[in-house]
Amino acid sequence: MTADADTATTDATTVTAPASTTPAAASPAARIRPKTGRDDKIMAAFIAVIGLYLIVSLALPLYAVLSKSVSAFYFDLGNFEFQVDRGAGWSAPVTARQLNDELRALSPEELRTSGDGRLAVTVFFPDFNFRAPTRYRIRQVQPEAAFLAGTRRVADTDWHTFDSNQFRRVVLRASKSTGLDNYRAYFSTPALFRSLKNSLTIAVISTVLTVALAFGFAYALTRSAMRFKGLFRIIAMAPILVPSLLPGIALVYLFGNQGMLKSFLLGESIYGPIGIVIGSVFFTFPHAMIIITTALSLSDARLYEAAVSLRASRWKTFWTVTIPGARYGLVSAAFVVFNLVITDFGLPKVIGGQYNMLAVDIYKQVIGQQNFEMGAVVSVVLLIPALLAFTIDRVVQKKQVAQLSSRSVPYAPQPHRRFDALCLLYCVLVTVFIAGLIGVCQYAALIKFWPYDLSLSFNNYNFDVMDGGGWDSWKNSIRLALYTAAAGTAVIFCGAYMVEKTQRFVATRAAFQFLAMLPMAIPGMVLGLAYIFFFNNPANPLHGLYGSMAILVICTVTHFYTVSHLTAVTALKQMDREFESVAASLKQPFHKVFSRVTVPVCLPSVLDISIYLFVNAMTTVSGVIFLYSPDTALASIAVLNMDDAGDIAPAAAMGMMIFYSNIGARLIHLLLTRKVMRNTQAWRTRRGEAVR
Amino acid sequence: MNSAPPRAPFLRIDRLRKVFGDFTALNEVSLAIDEGEFICFLGPSGCGKTTLLRAVAGLDIQTAGRVWQAGRDISALPPAERDFGIVFQSYALFPNLTVARNIAFGLENQKLKRADIERRVTELLALVNLSGQEGKYPAQLSGGEQQRVALTRALATSPGLLLLDEPLSALDARVRAHLRVEMKALQRRLGVTTIMVTHDQEEALTMADRIVVMNHGVIEQVGTPTEIYRRPDTLFVAEFVGAMNRIAGVGASDGRVTVGEVTLDTQAHAAAAGAPVVAAIRPEDVLPHAGAEGGGESSGGGGDSAGGDAADGDAASAAAKGNNRLQARVDYLEFLGSFWRVSLTCAALGGVALTADLSSNAMRRMRIEAGARVDLELPAERVLVFPRGRGA
């Protein structure tokens, strides 16, 4: 509102003129430049700090990915010249390109490389023998690339002479060019390009299945009068508490090569699209269910009454009232699920087999082939559908909010025996599927040696004798989750407060809001890779963070920033806009309102944010897979690595440890919330006795 | 900085402008307020009254123009460096703090001893008849009590200026009427200069020492309640404050106003002969006179047709009587408790619709009922004349 006042005047002379200059009646009134008060300064400093955090932890790393994806590296053969002395004096200089053209030693594809590429010069000399008395000279024409002689880097344009024993250790380094070469290479490599198709296919199929299943479940929860609704809801939420790769492990036990129910697949393999889709439905189900349940419970009972009074059939009412009322929820759920599936890494890694998906490709390019540029290209390719899905979801959510604010009467379902029984049966089936997969994991974790020794033991919990970091990785995960919950909640809530309650700095706040929304659209793999590029750059003063616990915390907080930010903003919007104005009129600083009123009143939301961050920090794989060091191995990564190494039972055991840790955290959260409600929120519960 | 303009009023607003994008919310607003005055900013929503209040508070600082308070130029100061207490429409009471903590909020960090703060809180609560409510939370209080707590919190630091932003509009009618009296009494007792924003003319008329009527970002008129009501400067003020009959006409050569076939005596006006004007009179100033032929005797449906026949001749004779006496037909009656609102059609004025507020006594005495005809007098000193603008 005060933007114009803020930026309006540059006319400092009239502003600083003393008050005694009572303006002459004829002259137009002087523009006013508001004096910046102490509160404004503190708030500006806060916004700057948190904005800087988002720039460093999000904007700059993403920029690093983009710029990496357009830097191609290749061996510039024309830039290197050789001379050979086979005892008869130096031959005429000849470029490596000329030699290669004669020999056809390397194809153009083989000349493309990564930033780390090295090329031994001996390939250009088929008769090379390191015992021969031949001498070689090499020089650069332009000082643009470099070559290594052993470990010595040579970047000048002088001739350097080597005997043949030294010459075998001379390697060329790559030259850098900026352009779309990497993208051209990506789209002309069928193996890579196929992953895009695979990812889209799996995401679409999983989305349709999950939304359909979740809609049935949400419909039963909101429209029937069946029993056990609370229990169904709790079980349906369970997948949120485990890493996305856990259902993969359960599916291996059920349908894998030695699976209990292998025959059910009629000869199809679980390793591939079938496994990914089933697992995706499992881990995205709660997300879709929450959104659709919310949408369905918003519906207006008066519309149903009208439908009844117009003698519309149940079927017709369903299509004319229920579905249109829930359409935003359905669309939003669809895009959220799509986004989760297409960006997920853990599940296709565990159960994808030979079926490649984008997120796994990033991992393979970076960890397997050390081709960081191609990893960046795949990241950008993955970013596009994710950004699109995110944008559509935001637009749709806004519409739903508008619908929510309208006044409506909540729908109260009436008992209806056959319908209720049907709903109950359906919900039992869904929850058996969910609880079943988790149960299989627990069972697998306790069996000595599937399928040969089915006796129970805790051997698989003996993590310290296995790869993956042992019990320390679990402790690291707990530490990471606690730090993330504490630091993240503080940063995110303060940031949301500044955006929501500051009057000035309109442009800055808009930029901040954009940055705060961005993480939801950024796949974890992309963020992790971005951190490698940004923080592992020796020129970066923050280089020291690389490999530390701090970078894991920063990455996780940023990865899950958006949802927490929105939770905080929603809570803050319910606070009276004028609290800060009242405090200012009473000459009290804004932070007194913040600490004495805003935080206590918002405490339930603050706790919600911290449990959300905690649970996600426990289960995340994709964000941190590139960033952990041997000292900071995490439980979720240990699950992945143990599974990779064939220790599937310990992987399941570690997965269940994450599950139980999260249940514990949720219970503590529940108790804390109750306690907080009882103590600091006394004013809320006493409202019942309010004078009428 | 005691270099304020000469003869310093307590608060001086000089050519304030506030622009939001293309929209000018305040246009060259100037005003002077004396110490201890109770001022009401009155106007329809969007007229700029709240914008003006927020500019005085420093919550939304004006684009241009200056504000002096107690001789100090506060034009560019943030709210915390000004000297005022404020009550918002929502009250903005801190929901998790008790009544006592709410009121003490502004007293803390002021080098006051704890006991002194407690004493001050008790004293203030007694002032607004809320003794013993210290330990309650805002949600446990009624709307009227919450409003008083908000007022007390604003007054706790003894500010030089009290700003009230529609402080009564969230309350029901009876509580509102009661609090009006209480707030006014409290303001008198404390002598604190007060500005209240309201869109409720009754509130403004009953509480204010002076009313500032605003419309479209400018001040239409500043005056005491009786001035505003009796001598409105503009047609807008006349119609916004109280009810008003408007009769479109043209200026007559002798300083009167011609409407249809009659020429009305009016208050003096400056309109040229033939210029379009509006003659305006309040419903309670329309005087009925007993003894209109036909109206007196007729009862029930019979009088209806008889009155219709006589209409033409009556109008001519009524105008001839001078002193703005006209005959009119009663269309319908609205019972408003202490009085009746009577809708009339006056054929002589070109069929213009008039309303008159009549006491139950007068109604009975003159047997006024739907369809009856009555003689009306529009007292010349009560007929105001305003220039008629576009399409009015």
Side-chain angles (χ1 to χ4, degrees):
Chain A
M1 286 236 294
T2 51
D4 32 25
D6 201 15
T7 54
T9 176
T10 47
D11 193 358
T13 50
T14 50
V15 169
T16 50
S20 58
T21 57
T22 308
S27 71
R31 290 219 143 202
I32 293 295
R33 177 186 205 142
K35 184 185 160 196
T36 309
R38 204 186 49 172
D39 277 7
D40 289 326
K41 285 178 195 156
I42 299 176
M43 282 188 163
F46 257 99
I47 292 183
V49 167
I50 298 176
L52 200 66
Y53 169 83
L54 281 175
I55 288 171
V56 169
S57 75
L58 185 66
L60 293 178
L62 284 178
Y63 175 77
V65 168
L66 281 178
S67 68
K68 198 75 162 182
S69 77
V70 294
S71 356
F73 288 88
Y74 63 101
F75 297 111
D76 186 3
L77 297 187
N79 195 35
F80 296 99
E81 281 184 335
F82 298 101
Q83 284 182 308
V84 186
D85 176 10
R86 295 193 170 83
W90 291 108
S91 65
V94 58
T95 65
R97 175 171 300 144
Q98 287 166 321
L99 290 171
N100 191 41
D101 287 350
E102 278 167 33
L103 294 165
R104 303 195 175 279
L106 297 167
S107 68
E109 275 73 43
E110 285 169 297
L111 291 176
R112 263 204 304 269
T113 180
S114 68
D116 225 24
R118 282 139 212 251
L119 178 64
V121 290
T122 50
V123 296
F124 301 114
F125 300 94
D127 60 344
F128 177 78
N129 183 333
F130 69 93
R131 289 201 194 85
T134 320
R135 290 192 307 150
Y136 298 86
R137 291 171 90 178
I138 176 171
R139 75 153 187 146
Q140 279 194 88
V141 180
Q142 300 293 328
E144 279 161 3
F147 61 87
L148 302 178
T151 54
R152 185 166 61 95
R153 181 184 157 89
V154 182
D156 56 31
T157 54
D158 300 333
W159 284 104
H160 295 267
T161 309
F162 303 98
D163 63 28
S164 52
N165 191 35
Q166 293 164 327
F167 193 61
R168 68 172 169 164
R169 282 198 285 269
V170 172
V171 291
L172 304 184
R173 294 301 311 268
S175 303
K176 181 178 167 184
S177 75
T178 302
L180 296 176
D181 282 358
N182 293 328
Y183 289 90
R184 238 169 265 135
Y186 176 84
F187 285 105
S188 57
T189 313
L192 289 173
F193 185 54
R194 204 177 304 125
S195 302
L196 176 60
K197 222 180 73 197
N198 289 349
S199 277
L200 288 173
T201 313
I202 292 287
V204 168
I205 296 173
S206 307
T207 302
V208 171
L209 281 176
T210 308
V211 170
L213 289 171
F215 178 79
F217 200 84
Y219 192 78
L221 283 182
T222 54
R223 292 293 187 278
S224 82
M226 66 176 181
R227 299 176 61 195
F228 309 121
K229 282 185 186 174
L231 183 67
F232 287 142
R233 199 188 277 260
I234 288 177
I235 295 176
M237 294 293 290
I240 283 189
L241 305 182
V242 299
S244 62
L245 46 82
L246 200 76
I249 292 175
L251 289 172
V252 168
Y253 270 93
L254 284 173
F255 304 110
N257 293 333
Q258 295 169 319
M260 315 174 197
L261 307 171
K262 187 163 186 273
S263 58
F264 278 47
L265 282 182
L266 305 171
E268 295 289 329
S269 169
I270 194 71
Y271 298 100
I274 299 177
I276 305 177
V277 167
I278 298 177
S280 296
V281 169
F282 172 89
F283 91 86
T284 58
F285 186 84
H287 300 271
M289 187 207 59
I290 295 169
I291 296 172
I292 299 174
T293 307
T294 310
L296 282 177
S297 32
L298 289 180
S299 68
D300 194 336
R302 290 171 302 184
L303 292 177
Y304 286 88
E305 285 160 12
V308 170
S309 72
L310 292 169
R311 293 163 203 268
S313 67
R314 254 187 116 90
W315 184 245
K316 186 160 187 194
T317 309
F318 179 80
W319 285 106
T320 52
V321 178
T322 308
I323 292 290
R327 65 185 186 280
Y328 295 132
L330 287 171
V331 174
S332 174
F335 283 104
V336 167
V337 170
F338 180 89
N339 217 341
L340 284 170
V341 174
I342 206 167
T343 59
D344 185 51
F345 163 70
L347 187 62
K349 179 82 178 66
V350 166
I351 203 155
Q354 299 302 310
Y355 193 80
N356 279 344
M357 303 227 338
L358 287 174
V360 182
D361 274 354
I362 299 178
Y363 182 75
K364 284 184 178 164
Q365 289 296 330
V366 172
I367 301 294
Q369 306 185 10
Q370 298 282 312
N371 189 342
F372 291 92
E373 288 74 27
M374 197 47 82
V377 170
V378 184
S379 295
V380 175
V381 171
L382 178 58
L383 204 51
I384 292 164
L387 267 174
L388 264 179
F390 165 78
T391 313
I392 297 173
D393 176 50
R394 286 309 302 163
V395 172
V396 172
Q397 290 260 349
K398 279 218 173 100
K399 291 193 174 159
Q400 163 138 25
V401 170
Q403 197 183 27
L404 186 146
S405 54
S406 67
R407 193 174 291 192
S408 68
V409 181
Y411 179 84
Q414 298 299 314
H416 189 287
R417 261 177 85 185
R418 255 188 43 214
F419 177 68
D420 291 348
L422 217 65
C423 287
L424 189 75
L425 179 68
Y426 178 77
C427 289
V428 166
L429 286 177
V430 171
T431 44
V432 162
F433 164 70
I434 290 172
L437 285 189
I438 295 179
V440 166
C441 268
Q442 182 57 79
Y443 179 59
L446 291 175
I447 286 177
K448 238 180 208 161
F449 191 46
W450 177 265
Y452 307 108
D453 182 355
L454 297 186
S455 58
L456 300 180
S457 82
F458 281 107
N459 284 354
N460 292 323
Y461 284 85
N462 210 352
F463 299 128
D464 286 337
V465 301
M466 291 164 216
D467 277 351
W471 276 102
D472 280 346
S473 66
W474 178 77
K475 287 179 204 151
N476 282 337
S477 266
I478 296 279
R479 269 170 63 212
L480 170 67
L482 287 174
Y483 296 158
T484 302
T489 307
V491 168
I492 293 166
F493 191 79
C494 289
Y497 179 81
M498 296 305 153
V499 173
E500 203 43 43
K501 298 294 173 187
T502 329
Q503 300 275 309
R504 302 175 66 177
F505 324 114
V506 176
T508 319
R509 283 188 300 143
F512 187 101
Q513 182 73 7
F514 174 77
L515 281 179
M517 295 309 297
L518 200 53
M520 194 136 115
I522 309 298
M525 296 298 285
V526 177
L527 195 65
L529 187 59
Y531 276 34
I532 298 187
F533 295 150
F534 183 66
F535 288 102
N536 198 22
N537 181 352
N540 187 332
L542 297 171
H543 178 66
L545 288 176
Y546 195 74
S548 69
M549 180 56 95
I551 199 171
L552 295 179
V553 174
I554 292 172
C555 178
T556 311
V557 169
T558 306
H559 189 180
F560 299 104
Y561 199 100
T562 307
V563 172
S564 315
H565 176 76
L566 290 175
T567 308
V569 165
T570 307
L572 288 166
K573 275 198 196 301
Q574 285 162 8
M575 306 284 289
D576 197 305
R577 292 173 45 234
E578 308 293 5
F579 283 166
E580 283 72 19
S581 305
V582 167
S585 79
L586 295 171
K587 302 189 175 12
Q588 302 294 326
F590 81 94
H591 51 78
K592 188 172 158 190
V593 181
F594 182 73
S595 59
R596 294 258 321 259
V597 180
T598 313
V599 172
V601 171
C602 291
L603 212 49
S605 300
V606 169
L607 288 175
D608 284 349
I609 294 172
S610 49
I611 188 70
Y612 170 83
L613 290 173
F614 184 96
V615 166
N616 277 299
M618 286 300 292
T619 58
T620 188
V621 174
S622 59
V624 291
I625 185 85
F626 294 134
L627 301 175
Y628 73 94
S629 68
D631 292 338
T632 57
L634 299 172
S636 54
I637 309 263
V639 178
L640 190 85
N641 287 342
M642 287 193 283
D643 176 83
D644 223 25
D647 294 331
I648 307 187
M654 186 62 98
M656 292 311 289
M657 280 311 297
I658 296 176
F659 179 59
Y660 294 128
S661 310
N662 277 334
I663 287 185
R666 285 220 85 118
L667 285 177
I668 294 172
H669 169 254
L670 194 73
L671 291 176
L672 268 180
T673 306
R674 283 234 177 108
K675 197 169 138 62
V676 158
M677 281 290 189
R678 205 174 307 130
N679 294 350
T680 68
Q681 311 274 303
W683 52 274
R684 238 192 253 277
T685 48
R686 284 190 210 168
R687 187 163 285 174
E689 318 162 9
V691 184
R692 45 209 55 98
Chain B
M1 274 218 221
N2 51 355
S3 43
R7 205 194 68 76
F10 179 71
L11 190 79
R12 198 173 107 92
I13 297 167
D14 185 48
R15 282 170 302 154
L16 227 54
R17 278 177 64 77
K18 177 71 182 180
V19 181
F20 297 112
D22 297 338
F23 176 69
T24 303
L26 290 177
N27 196 356
E28 304 282 308
V29 169
S30 297
L31 185 67
I33 295 171
D34 287 329
E35 185 147 22
E37 263 195 305
F38 194 123
I39 298 288
C40 273
F41 293 170
L42 176 68
S45 55
C47 71
K49 56 190 190 295
T50 298
T51 310
L52 183 55
L53 187 86
R54 293 182 72 87
V56 170
L59 295 171
D60 284 317
I61 290 179
Q62 67 278 11
T63 313
R66 317 218 127 232
V67 182
W68 287 269
Q69 182 180 339
R72 191 163 70 116
D73 184 351
I74 57 168
S75 309
L77 297 183
E81 293 177 33
R82 303 190 182 199
D83 174 25
F84 70 96
I86 190 162
V87 177
F88 291 101
Q89 188 174 354
S90 64
Y91 313 140
L93 291 173
F94 304 126
N96 62 326
L97 302 184
T98 60
V99 167
R101 295 266 69 84
N102 261 287
I103 295 170
F105 198 84
L107 299 170
E108 293 158 6
N109 315 336
Q110 301 224 336
K111 291 175 196 139
L112 280 174
K113 285 199 200 104
R114 211 183 166 74
D116 290 339
I117 294 178
E118 309 260 300
R119 194 170 329 116
R120 174 90 175 127
V121 169
T122 314
E123 190 183 291
L124 284 161
L125 280 172
L127 203 62
V128 294
N129 302 324
L130 282 177
S131 296
Q133 309 276 40
E134 286 89 342
K136 286 195 178 170
Y137 289 100
Q140 294 170 277
L141 302 177
S142 71
E145 288 168 331
Q146 289 180 15
Q147 197 268 356
R148 279 180 283 164
V149 173
L151 184 63
T152 315
R153 181 178 63 183
L155 290 170
T157 50
S158 309
L161 180 64
L162 178 63
L163 303 177
L164 309 169
D165 186 3
E166 308 243 10
L168 297 169
S169 63
L171 301 169
D172 64 52
R174 276 183 57 193
V175 180
R176 201 153 58 203
H178 171 68
L179 277 181
R180 250 172 13 209
V181 178
E182 234 181 68
M183 279 174 73
K184 177 67 184 168
L186 184 66
Q187 188 268 341
R188 278 232 181 87
R189 187 135 43 107
L190 300 176
V192 57
T193 312
T194 302
I195 301 176
M196 179 167 91
V197 161
T198 179
H199 63 268
D200 181 339
Q201 39 143 329
E202 203 176 301
E203 229 166 81
L205 291 171
T206 51
M207 296 174 80
D209 296 326
R210 282 194 302 154
I211 299 176
V212 177
V213 185
M214 297 182 65
N215 191 30
H216 294 312
V218 296
I219 292 179
E220 293 267 340
Q221 187 174 0
V222 182
T224 64
T226 45
E227 278 167 2
I228 296 284
Y229 193 81
R230 282 288 159 222
R231 294 197 299 280
D233 283 350
T234 65
L235 187 56
F236 171 81
V237 175
E239 294 196 309
F240 190 77
V241 181
M244 194 59 103
N245 287 301
R246 48 150 71 197
I247 307 162
V250 291
S253 51
D254 51 358
R256 301 198 297 168
V257 171
T258 306
V259 182
E261 320 158 17
V262 290
T263 301
L264 296 173
D265 289 335
T266 63
Q267 281 205 328
H269 65 88
V277 295
V278 172
I281 184 165
R282 296 206 182 272
E284 70 269 25
D285 291 334
V286 175
L287 292 180
H289 280 273
E293 49 274 46
E297 296 99 34
S298 78
S299 60
D304 235 288
S305 57
D309 288 340
D312 283 358
D314 287 345
S317 66
K321 282 177 198 160
N323 224 3
N324 294 357
R325 291 191 83 154
L326 304 160
Q327 212 178 45
R329 195 183 67 231
V330 177
D331 292 330
Y332 60 89
L333 309 172
E334 218 182 328
F335 180 54
L336 293 172
S338 54
F339 65 93
W340 292 75
R341 179 151 287 172
V342 183
S343 299
L344 306 146
T345 311
C346 193
L349 297 175
V352 74
L354 293 178
T355 57
D357 289 348
L358 304 179
S359 71
S360 297
N361 274 338
M363 296 287 288
R364 208 175 317 111
R365 204 171 54 240
M366 284 177 262
R367 299 194 204 160
I368 293 173
E369 53 201 12
R373 349 191 91 263
V374 283
D375 254 1
L376 297 180
E377 183 190 344
L378 310 180
E381 73 279 11
R382 295 293 193 214
V383 181
L384 308 169
V385 180
F386 301 100
R388 179 146 49 102
R390 338 98 287 193

